[in-house]
Amino acid sequence: MSDDVENNHEQNSVPNDQSLNTTDDISTVRRRNLNRVNESSDKNEQPQPMIEEIDETTSTTTTTSTTTTNNNNNNKNTNPETKEQENTEEEKESNNQFECNICFDDVSEPVVTQCGHLFCWSCIFQWLQYNASQQCPVCKAPVTEEKLIPIYGRGSNATDPRKNRSIPQRPPGRPEQVRPNQNNSNRTYPDVFGANQWNTQFGNVSISAGFGLFPGLFGLHFYQQNNNNNNSINNNGRPQNSADFESLLLSRIFFAIGIIILFFILVN
Amino acid sequence: MSKTDSSVTKRLQSELMALMMASSPGISAFPDGDNMFNWTGTIQGAAGTVYEGMEFKMSLKFPTDYPFKPPTVKFETSCFHPNVDPQGTICLDILKEKWSPIYNVRTLLLSIQSLLGEPNNDSPLNTYAASIWENQEEYKKVLVKKYHEATGITISTA
Ligand SMILES: [Zn+2]
Ligand SMILES: [Zn+2]
């Protein structure tokens, strides 16, 4: 008898379409139950996707109890206490948004999946070790460790280093790489004065002419530098900000004028 | 070891808090004494189902790697149902291969409560229960008799 039961049982545990149907059925009823809870909470909550709803049960429940206390206070008329409680309620709700979907606690070393679900790094890492199908616990979307995005808040460096050494370091952020065609941005820069050519001609001697630096008519200053880059230009050859850009433009205009005047002096 | 235990305890405590503060219709659960890893719960049959008016005692045993692994949930009160075996074992996908850490005691008990009224008769543990499910009148008669045997409580068949 019990052997038969065991055999049947094993058959049932095999994932199949039927079991999927069961989940759907159960989910709808479960949702019905949750809706009942929501109705009783007297709180106008916006309809959410089903799984989220289940996930939010904890927050719903907290809200329910707080709402009842608020109602009691409302009978005594509005007083500062009510407002304070409303505030704490809001705080609670906003805090819940940043709770890990696995440990139900505030996220530590937060990472977000491509599907947008928030976890502690240690929690999602452990889940991926257990879960052969590598799915998001919330929405079942595929999750890969490489595509997790770490979230760095303000003061995030203050968090304690991970105590559990069996969990590797959280993967670093992978910012979008600078596109190669950004080299073309040199062309957007006024090249008419030939300053770039001058730079290449002079090797690692970079030339700049400044308005305030003119001792005489139009002084030219040559600066010996370790690399070709002017201080106000970053590696991409782009000015760091508009002020630098303007001063650079100005200096190049004066440099060009200086060259022209020098040329006339020499010719004459 | 102690580190993981404490994180499991922490999560179970937050689940307990949520359960105590919620108005969960027809379900309840509480740890057995000081042991956070063994809980006892109850499920009441939902209104409008043949299980209406019945209450079933449940046991929940949490593994040390909870919530990465599901708890073992069983009927302690014998339950006549297509997806429950005589030992109280439940055939429910989210307790096995469909488990996700986002489920908790509350959602599990609500799911089992739903399962009572909406069995999966295609892969039954109790083939007899599955075979008579379509005839709700007969099903209720057998169910009430079995429930009386298990609890001594008489439910009217009317
Ligand atoms: Zn976590
Ligand atoms: Zn997701």
Side-chain angles (χ1 to χ4, degrees):
Chain A
M1 177 63 194
S2 63
D3 282 344
D4 288 345
V5 169
E6 281 302 312
N7 287 339
N8 274 333
H9 184 74
E10 275 173 19
Q11 282 174 359
N12 288 331
S13 61
V14 175
N16 54 15
D17 292 337
Q18 287 149 1
S19 65
L20 272 172
N21 288 337
T22 335
T23 347
D24 290 341
D25 289 342
I26 293 158
S27 313
T28 43
V29 181
R30 196 194 297 143
R31 192 189 197 170
R32 216 182 296 151
N33 286 332
L34 287 168
N35 285 344
R36 226 178 288 150
V37 180
N38 284 340
E39 280 162 26
S40 68
S41 74
D42 267 338
K43 175 121 188 166
N44 293 332
E45 287 195 353
Q46 288 181 347
Q48 287 171 312
M50 187 188 64
I51 297 174
E52 290 292 339
E53 224 169 275
I54 297 160
D55 187 38
E56 295 292 324
T57 39
T58 37
S59 67
T60 319
T61 56
T62 355
T63 331
T64 317
S65 60
T66 338
T67 320
T68 34
T69 34
N70 276 346
N71 286 343
N72 290 341
N73 276 340
N74 284 343
N75 292 339
K76 296 174 204 164
N77 228 332
T78 42
N79 54 14
E81 268 179 47
T82 324
K83 277 175 190 168
E84 265 174 40
Q85 274 192 321
E86 275 168 6
N87 284 342
T88 49
E89 194 184 319
E90 278 169 18
E91 273 169 31
K92 261 184 203 167
E93 275 189 9
S94 63
N95 283 349
N96 284 347
Q97 292 179 349
F98 299 104
E99 277 175 10
C100 169
N101 282 296
I102 292 177
C103 64
F104 296 180
D105 206 350
D106 292 336
V107 277
S108 72
E109 294 200 294
V111 292
V112 71
T113 54
Q114 294 283 301
C115 47
H117 292 114
L118 183 67
F119 304 94
C120 308
W121 158 241
S122 63
C123 288
I124 192 68
F125 174 80
Q126 283 180 80
W127 170 244
L128 292 175
Q129 308 302 301
Y130 279 94
N131 179 245
S133 45
Q134 306 284 294
Q135 288 172 332
C136 170
V138 182
C139 69
K140 313 283 182 202
V143 172
T144 48
E145 200 186 306
E146 298 75 45
K147 290 201 169 168
L148 292 174
I149 300 160
I151 296 172
Y152 304 114
R154 189 167 166 269
S156 58
N157 292 336
T159 51
D160 289 337
R162 207 187 329 281
K163 281 156 202 156
N164 192 345
R165 286 285 118 210
S166 64
I167 293 158
Q169 283 285 313
R170 176 169 53 153
R174 293 164 301 278
E176 291 259 326
Q177 290 303 306
V178 177
R179 304 226 165 78
N181 65 5
Q182 285 209 340
N183 290 335
N184 296 340
S185 64
N186 278 340
R187 283 191 198 137
T188 65
Y189 198 85
D191 214 5
V192 281
F193 306 115
N196 285 333
Q197 280 93 335
W198 277 94
N199 261 341
T200 37
Q201 276 183 9
F202 282 44
N204 62 350
V205 178
S206 90
I207 306 153
S208 84
F211 192 66
L213 297 172
F214 290 5
L217 185 60
F218 286 106
L220 289 174
H221 293 258
F222 293 77
Y223 292 105
Q224 189 79 35
Q225 284 186 340
N226 287 333
N227 56 32
N228 278 338
N229 293 317
N230 193 303
N231 279 339
S232 58
I233 301 174
N234 68 16
N235 285 333
N236 295 326
R238 295 174 80 182
Q240 277 165 349
N241 56 45
S242 57
D244 282 349
F245 183 84
E246 275 172 28
S247 68
L248 201 78
L249 194 65
L250 258 175
S251 70
R252 289 197 176 179
I253 289 167
F254 281 111
F255 176 71
I257 293 168
I259 295 288
I260 292 160
I261 290 169
L262 265 176
F263 176 76
F264 278 111
I265 291 167
L266 287 173
V267 166
N268 293 336
Chain B
M1 173 70 186
S2 62
K3 202 251 170 193
T4 49
D5 273 13
S6 74
S7 64
V8 180
T9 308
K10 205 172 175 190
R11 153 128 183 187
L12 286 170
Q13 273 165 349
S14 85
E15 287 194 38
L16 181 61
M17 282 291 284
L19 260 171
M20 290 201 306
M21 288 168 84
S23 59
S24 311
I27 60 151
S28 75
F30 206 79
D32 299 340
D34 291 336
N35 187 355
M36 281 301 280
F37 289 81
N38 291 324
W39 291 33
T40 300
T42 58
I43 292 177
Q44 288 164 11
T49 69
V50 284
Y51 291 88
E52 186 174 351
M54 298 179 188
E55 188 176 276
F56 297 90
K57 202 173 150 189
M58 312 295 297
S59 72
L60 299 99
K61 296 195 191 313
F62 298 91
T64 47
D65 45 7
Y66 183 77
F68 302 105
K69 291 274 185 208
T72 308
V73 186
K74 278 185 159 186
F75 276 94
E76 289 301 308
T77 307
S78 174
C79 180
F80 179 73
H81 188 275
N83 306 115
V84 181
D85 78 3
Q87 284 74 43
T89 312
I90 307 157
C91 179
L92 183 59
D93 50 7
I94 60 166
L95 287 170
K96 295 184 190 87
E97 79 279 350
K98 293 265 169 65
W99 167 255
S100 161
I102 65 160
Y103 298 129
N104 54 54
V105 174
R106 190 182 135 88
T107 52
L108 281 182
L109 292 183
L110 286 173
S111 299
I112 295 165
Q113 189 190 42
S114 309
L115 183 71
L116 285 180
E118 294 177 29
N120 173 14
N121 287 313
D122 297 320
S123 54
L125 287 178
N126 185 332
T127 45
Y128 174 54
S131 69
I132 62 166
W133 172 259
E134 290 305 320
N135 186 345
Q136 286 278 286
E137 214 170 286
E138 192 192 349
Y139 188 94
K140 174 105 187 189
K141 229 177 263 175
V142 178
L143 173 65
V144 165
K145 186 171 158 280
K146 298 263 183 190
Y147 187 74
H148 180 76
E149 282 169 14
T151 62
I153 299 165
T154 313
I155 309 273
S156 83
T157 11

